[in-house]
PDB file of all heavy atoms in Angstrom:
ATOM      1  N   ILE E 188       9.318 -10.162  24.954  1.00 98.00           N
ATOM      2  CA  ILE E 188       8.532  -9.398  25.921  1.00 98.00           C
ATOM      3  C   ILE E 188       8.717  -9.978  27.318  1.00 98.00           C
ATOM      4  O   ILE E 188       8.509 -11.172  27.534  1.00 98.00           O
ATOM      5  CB  ILE E 188       7.036  -9.401  25.542  1.00 98.00           C
ATOM      6  CG1 ILE E 188       6.852  -8.778  24.145  1.00 98.00           C
ATOM      7  CG2 ILE E 188       6.215  -8.641  26.575  1.00 98.00           C
ATOM      8  CD1 ILE E 188       5.418  -8.793  23.648  1.00 98.00           C
ATOM      9  N   ASP E 189       9.123  -9.141  28.238  1.00 97.00           N
ATOM     10  CA  ASP E 189       9.371  -9.563  29.621  1.00 97.00           C
ATOM     11  C   ASP E 189       8.330  -8.912  30.535  1.00 97.00           C
ATOM     12  O   ASP E 189       8.416  -7.717  30.843  1.00 97.00           O
ATOM     13  CB  ASP E 189      10.791  -9.149  30.038  1.00 97.00           C
ATOM     14  CG  ASP E 189      11.161  -9.677  31.422  1.00 97.00           C
ATOM     15  OD1 ASP E 189      10.271 -10.193  32.124  1.00 97.00           O
ATOM     16  OD2 ASP E 189      12.342  -9.558  31.796  1.00 97.00           O
ATOM     17  N   PHE E 190       7.346  -9.708  30.940  1.00 97.00           N
ATOM     18  CA  PHE E 190       6.287  -9.159  31.780  1.00 97.00           C
ATOM     19  C   PHE E 190       6.708  -9.004  33.240  1.00 97.00           C
ATOM     20  O   PHE E 190       5.995  -8.381  34.032  1.00 97.00           O
ATOM     21  CB  PHE E 190       5.031 -10.033  31.677  1.00 97.00           C
ATOM     22  CG  PHE E 190       4.315  -9.893  30.364  1.00 97.00           C
ATOM     23  CD1 PHE E 190       4.275 -10.950  29.464  1.00 97.00           C
ATOM     24  CD2 PHE E 190       3.685  -8.705  30.026  1.00 97.00           C
ATOM     25  CE1 PHE E 190       3.621 -10.815  28.248  1.00 97.00           C
ATOM     26  CE2 PHE E 190       3.025  -8.565  28.814  1.00 97.00           C
ATOM     27  CZ  PHE E 190       2.985  -9.622  27.929  1.00 97.00           C
ATOM     28  N   SER E 191       7.872  -9.549  33.602  1.00 97.00           N
ATOM     29  CA  SER E 191       8.360  -9.344  34.969  1.00 97.00           C
ATOM     30  C   SER E 191       8.886  -7.931  35.149  1.00 97.00           C
ATOM     31  O   SER E 191       8.859  -7.360  36.242  1.00 97.00           O
ATOM     32  CB  SER E 191       9.463 -10.358  35.299  1.00 97.00           C
ATOM     33  OG  SER E 191      10.619 -10.121  34.515  1.00 97.00           O
ATOM     34  N   THR E 192       9.366  -7.337  34.063  1.00 97.00           N
ATOM     35  CA  THR E 192       9.850  -5.954  34.101  1.00 97.00           C
ATOM     36  C   THR E 192       8.975  -5.029  33.270  1.00 97.00           C
ATOM     37  O   THR E 192       9.199  -3.819  33.244  1.00 97.00           O
ATOM     38  CB  THR E 192      11.297  -5.877  33.564  1.00 97.00           C
ATOM     39  OG1 THR E 192      11.323  -6.377  32.209  1.00 97.00           O
ATOM     40  CG2 THR E 192      12.242  -6.696  34.423  1.00 97.00           C
ATOM     41  N   ASN E 193       7.990  -5.626  32.563  1.00 97.00           N
ATOM     42  CA  ASN E 193       7.099  -4.864  31.673  1.00 97.00           C
ATOM     43  C   ASN E 193       7.896  -4.075  30.634  1.00 97.00           C
ATOM     44  O   ASN E 193       7.685  -2.865  30.425  1.00 97.00           O
ATOM     45  CB  ASN E 193       6.179  -3.934  32.474  1.00 97.00           C
ATOM     46  CG  ASN E 193       5.145  -4.706  33.270  1.00 97.00           C
ATOM     47  OD1 ASN E 193       4.717  -5.784  32.866  1.00 97.00           O
ATOM     48  ND2 ASN E 193       4.745  -4.166  34.412  1.00 97.00           N
ATOM     49  N   THR E 194       8.819  -4.788  30.012  1.00 97.00           N
ATOM     50  CA  THR E 194       9.625  -4.213  28.941  1.00 97.00           C
ATOM     51  C   THR E 194       9.670  -5.187  27.775  1.00 97.00           C
ATOM     52  O   THR E 194       9.323  -6.357  27.905  1.00 97.00           O
ATOM     53  CB  THR E 194      11.069  -3.922  29.404  1.00 97.00           C
ATOM     54  OG1 THR E 194      11.679  -5.167  29.813  1.00 97.00           O
ATOM     55  CG2 THR E 194      11.111  -2.923  30.545  1.00 97.00           C
ATOM     56  N   PHE E 195      10.106  -4.701  26.613  1.00 97.00           N
ATOM     57  CA  PHE E 195      10.352  -5.589  25.476  1.00 97.00           C
ATOM     58  C   PHE E 195      11.655  -5.181  24.803  1.00 97.00           C
ATOM     59  O   PHE E 195      12.091  -4.034  24.905  1.00 97.00           O
ATOM     60  CB  PHE E 195       9.176  -5.566  24.484  1.00 97.00           C
ATOM     61  CG  PHE E 195       8.967  -4.259  23.762  1.00 97.00           C
ATOM     62  CD1 PHE E 195       9.451  -4.074  22.470  1.00 97.00           C
ATOM     63  CD2 PHE E 195       8.273  -3.215  24.370  1.00 97.00           C
ATOM     64  CE1 PHE E 195       9.243  -2.874  21.798  1.00 97.00           C
ATOM     65  CE2 PHE E 195       8.055  -2.012  23.706  1.00 97.00           C
ATOM     66  CZ  PHE E 195       8.539  -1.840  22.408  1.00 97.00           C
ATOM     67  N   ARG E 196      12.266  -6.138  24.135  1.00 97.00           N
ATOM     68  CA  ARG E 196      13.562  -5.916  23.492  1.00 97.00           C
ATOM     69  C   ARG E 196      13.445  -5.991  21.971  1.00 97.00           C
ATOM     70  O   ARG E 196      12.721  -6.838  21.445  1.00 97.00           O
ATOM     71  CB  ARG E 196      14.597  -6.946  23.967  1.00 97.00           C
ATOM     72  CG  ARG E 196      15.049  -6.756  25.401  1.00 97.00           C
ATOM     73  CD  ARG E 196      16.149  -7.745  25.758  1.00 97.00           C
ATOM     74  NE  ARG E 196      16.659  -7.507  27.095  1.00 97.00           N
ATOM     75  CZ  ARG E 196      17.626  -6.645  27.388  1.00 97.00           C
ATOM     76  NH1 ARG E 196      18.177  -5.926  26.421  1.00 97.00           N
ATOM     77  NH2 ARG E 196      18.039  -6.491  28.629  1.00 97.00           N
ATOM     78  N   ILE E 197      14.168  -5.115  21.295  1.00 96.00           N
ATOM     79  CA  ILE E 197      14.276  -5.162  19.840  1.00 96.00           C
ATOM     80  C   ILE E 197      15.508  -5.985  19.512  1.00 96.00           C
ATOM     81  O   ILE E 197      16.638  -5.574  19.795  1.00 96.00           O
ATOM     82  CB  ILE E 197      14.395  -3.744  19.243  1.00 96.00           C
ATOM     83  CG1 ILE E 197      13.155  -2.912  19.582  1.00 96.00           C
ATOM     84  CG2 ILE E 197      14.595  -3.827  17.731  1.00 96.00           C
ATOM     85  CD1 ILE E 197      11.860  -3.474  19.055  1.00 96.00           C
TER      86      ILE E 197
END
Side-chain angles (χ1 to χ4, degrees):
I188 300 177
D189 185 350
F190 287 112
S191 67
T192 59
N193 290 330
T194 61
F195 67 99
R196 289 184 176 274
I197 299 300

